[in-house]
Amino acid sequence: MTTTTDLVSYEDALASYDPVMGLEVHVELGTNTKMFCGCSTSLGADPNTQTCPTCLGMPGALPVVNATGVESAIKIGLALNCEIAEWCRFARKNYFYPDMPKNFQTSQYDEPIAFNGYLDVQLEDGETFRVEIERAHMEEDTGKSLHVGGATGRIHGASHSLLDYNRAGIPLIEIVTKPIVGAGERAPEVARAYVRELRELIRALGVSEARMEQGQMRCDVNLSLRPHGREKFGTRSETKNVNSLRSVERAARFEIQRHAAVLSSGGTIVQETRHFHEDTGSTTSGRVKEEAEDYRYFPEPDLVPVAPSREWVEEIRGSLPELPLARRNRLREEWGVSGTDMQAILNAGTLDLIVRTIEAGADAASARKWWMGELARSANESGVAPDQLAITPDQVARVSELVAKGELNDKLARQVIEGVLAGEGTPDEVVDKRGLKVVSDEGALGTAVDEAIAGNPGVADKIRGGKVAAAGALVGAVMKATRGQADAARVKELILEKLGVSEG
Ligand SMILES: [Zn+2]
């Protein structure tokens, strides 16, 4: 067991070694029932209320494959540009763990449903990196253990453990990449971009909500280093169940630095699983890794092979939605934004909100402006995702409509948005309640302009003398008098008109 947590700097690590990564992502499917029985998969039920003889591993209980689970697996496989097996079987992966009542996990071994694909992912600078996919296979989740009595919730120090089998048997798809080479110093960024692209893809397919914070999607980060110029891979570590995009990136980065420290000091890397710690950004040793043969895989005798007809596969292919990267590239063109702008939109989590705001009638530029400005900031400040803000795309579209009609200026529009977010009602209600209409009544505006001219005779003289730039001071005075509710461009026009000066 490696106990050292000495690190070398990231730059020094990359100066001597190339990272090789493998990413294994587990996705919990959003099917209504479990993979091999009819039990519900809904969250939040009392412990052990969603179980039956099959998912509790009772003698004589027989599993039946969930057809939606298979269909979802094929969808994922096709979206990852994989070949779909014409015939494949489930296999038993034998090992004991208290949260797995059958003493084996029903999984797939050498006959995965999907194999040999790729996923193109986009990096922060808009560049594309191709990640090759080894396989995507079907399996089932385990139950959950709750260790009681200790300080940490871990088994060490606990007085007893409770088991909840509600999750046992929920369908999982495990997606395994081929070794990712050639990413160099960008390896951690590639890892993050890959998991994000995969998450977007899974959501677009509608097969899972893929919420990492709820464990619906989790990533194992396998990493090894090899000296520059060497063909052979080094020994890898497997950092298990990393559950946020940021942590995936940090775990890869930490392991690069740790491996480099061990190798540079003449040590050897132990093949083992490791745990990532959010608080410190570091990993610690788990258990020494078993080899595949330790699991004594053998074909599952209680399930018939899965043999999806080519007609069905093609039917599923034909039903796939536009995939996220293609969609982003299309929108980039339609909106006329750069690759890095699109990455920023993706990072902010506002892409779908902007699309829906445009669908509700706003033009692309203003939809983007509000969601990436005011609203992204507001979400950030209150620590929520933008789609959890108390404003809908329809309402944002209404605000931008009022601006387009000249009934609101930007400053007033911001106050309207603030009011909607504060629960004061719809944009129109906030406009009424707060009295936020632009003063478009020419008579009232004319009076305010006359007063500003009378109150600032020196400035007025300068403008008459041709110094048009001085008009800013008078515009400011009018805006102040109307409490910001005038259209500044119209105010300037009126001032110049009244002083008999033309702008150009
Ligand atoms: Zn069941």
Side-chain angles (χ1 to χ4, degrees):
M1 189 155 104
T2 312
T3 49
T4 179
T5 47
D6 288 344
L7 302 181
V8 302
S9 81
Y10 191 67
E11 291 67 29
D12 288 349
L14 270 297
S16 308
Y17 302 100
D18 287 326
V20 176
M21 269 188 319
L23 300 169
E24 298 179 12
V25 174
H26 283 89
V27 178
E28 225 178 64
L29 294 179
T31 51
N32 295 325
T33 56
K34 293 185 180 180
M35 193 65 196
F36 304 110
C37 63
C39 289
S40 168
T41 56
S42 62
L43 291 172
D46 284 341
N48 298 308
T49 55
Q50 295 175 345
T51 56
C52 71
T54 300
C55 56
L56 287 177
M58 302 281 188
L62 287 174
V64 177
V65 176
N66 182 330
T68 309
V70 176
E71 185 179 341
S72 301
I74 295 174
K75 278 185 184 169
I76 292 172
L78 290 172
L80 291 171
N81 306 289
C82 287
E83 294 171 49
I84 303 301
E86 299 200 12
W87 191 91
C88 65
R89 285 179 296 189
F90 286 96
R92 291 188 179 184
K93 182 181 183 182
N94 297 283
Y95 64 105
F96 169 76
Y97 208 76
D99 62 14
M100 200 180 58
K102 297 187 295 188
N103 278 346
F104 61 85
Q105 182 188 31
T106 307
S107 180
Q108 292 194 287
Y109 181 47
D110 50 357
E111 299 167 350
I113 183 119
F115 51 94
N116 246 347
Y118 63 85
L119 179 65
D120 285 332
V121 307
Q122 229 156 23
L123 305 180
E124 288 302 315
D125 61 4
E127 249 185 67
T128 301
F129 189 96
R130 176 161 293 183
V131 175
E132 299 200 39
I133 306 292
E134 170 87 33
R135 57 192 276 146
H137 69 251
M138 301 179 281
E139 58 184 36
E140 59 179 337
D141 214 341
T142 57
K144 268 184 188 163
S145 311
L146 183 67
H147 305 297
V148 186
T152 57
R154 296 204 154 202
I155 196 161
H156 298 285
S159 58
H160 60 286
S161 298
L162 300 171
L163 287 157
D164 176 7
Y165 294 113
N166 284 353
R167 200 179 68 179
I170 289 188
L172 290 180
I173 303 295
E174 180 175 342
I175 300 149
V176 182
T177 67
K178 292 183 182 172
I180 301 170
V181 296
E185 60 175 359
R186 302 189 80 173
E189 189 193 342
V190 167
R192 179 196 180 112
Y194 167 75
V195 177
R196 177 164 65 189
E197 195 63 45
L198 193 55
R199 187 184 67 183
E200 301 297 314
L201 187 85
I202 297 290
R203 288 180 179 167
L205 293 173
V207 295
S208 170
E209 287 178 35
R211 291 193 182 273
M212 295 187 82
E213 72 283 4
Q214 288 178 10
Q216 290 170 336
M217 182 169 171
R218 43 213 200 241
C219 179
D220 298 346
V221 180
N222 300 340
L223 190 125
S224 65
L225 296 183
R226 55 178 176 181
H228 292 315
R230 204 176 83 170
E231 243 347 79
K232 194 168 174 282
F233 294 164
T235 304
R236 70 177 190 273
S237 58
E238 305 184 7
T239 306
K240 293 299 202 186
N241 291 327
V242 186
N243 64 358
S244 76
L245 295 177
R246 181 162 173 262
S247 296
V248 167
E249 183 166 7
R250 290 169 82 204
R253 199 178 164 91
F254 180 88
E255 282 297 285
I256 288 173
Q257 292 178 262
R258 187 184 67 84
H259 279 230
V262 172
L263 296 172
S264 305
S265 65
T268 41
I269 297 291
V270 180
Q271 187 177 338
E272 62 181 353
T273 63
R274 296 186 71 87
H275 304 293
F276 178 72
H277 305 281
E278 299 271 350
D279 49 351
T280 55
S282 64
T283 66
T284 53
S285 181
R287 59 190 154 85
V288 172
K289 180 65 179 171
E290 301 82 1
E291 295 295 337
E293 49 266 35
D294 297 333
Y295 289 115
R296 292 289 182 267
Y297 281 98
F298 65 85
E300 166 60 62
D302 287 343
L303 287 166
V304 292
V306 175
S309 75
R310 295 302 95 178
E311 292 73 27
W312 189 36
V313 171
E314 288 316 307
E315 195 183 303
I316 295 172
R317 193 195 303 278
S319 75
L320 293 183
E322 182 182 25
L323 298 180
L325 181 61
R327 175 171 177 254
R328 291 204 304 279
N329 286 338
R330 173 176 61 78
L331 292 173
R332 258 182 64 188
E333 261 185 38
E334 286 176 17
W335 299 350
V337 300
S338 69
T340 45
D341 282 346
M342 191 49 104
Q343 282 300 114
I345 290 169
L346 199 60
N347 289 341
T350 54
L351 183 63
D352 287 320
L353 295 164
I354 293 171
V355 169
R356 282 160 56 200
T357 303
I358 294 168
E359 281 166 3
D363 65 282
S366 66
R368 246 175 48 233
K369 183 180 88 173
W370 293 118
W371 282 110
M372 290 304 288
E374 207 63 12
L375 293 166
R377 197 158 43 243
S378 185
N380 208 12
E381 275 164 14
S382 33
V384 298
D387 64 356
Q388 292 171 300
L389 287 172
I391 191 164
T392 64
D394 282 355
Q395 292 173 330
V396 177
R398 177 62 181 154
V399 171
S400 67
E401 186 189 351
L402 291 172
V403 174
K405 280 177 160 171
E407 291 182 30
L408 290 177
N409 57 26
D410 273 11
K411 189 176 161 210
L412 294 172
R414 273 195 288 277
Q415 293 178 45
V416 173
I417 286 174
E418 188 190 292
V420 175
L421 291 175
E424 293 170 27
T426 65
D428 291 282
E429 286 164 356
V430 176
V431 167
D432 284 347
K433 280 187 201 160
R434 292 196 180 189
L436 293 178
K437 272 223 160 111
V438 164
V439 178
S440 53
D441 171 355
E442 292 276 322
L445 216 50
T447 310
V449 169
D450 288 340
E451 282 167 7
I453 291 172
N456 300 277
V459 179
D461 279 343
K462 275 190 197 160
I463 300 170
R464 281 196 197 90
K467 214 173 161 213
V468 175
L474 294 186
V475 174
V478 175
M479 295 304 281
K480 200 172 164 196
T482 57
R483 291 180 300 131
Q485 286 170 237
D487 175 355
R490 178 68 190 133
V491 170
K492 189 175 177 191
E493 274 172 22
L494 278 175
I495 292 167
L496 297 180
E497 218 172 277
K498 285 182 187 275
L499 296 174
V501 182
S502 77
E503 185 141 19

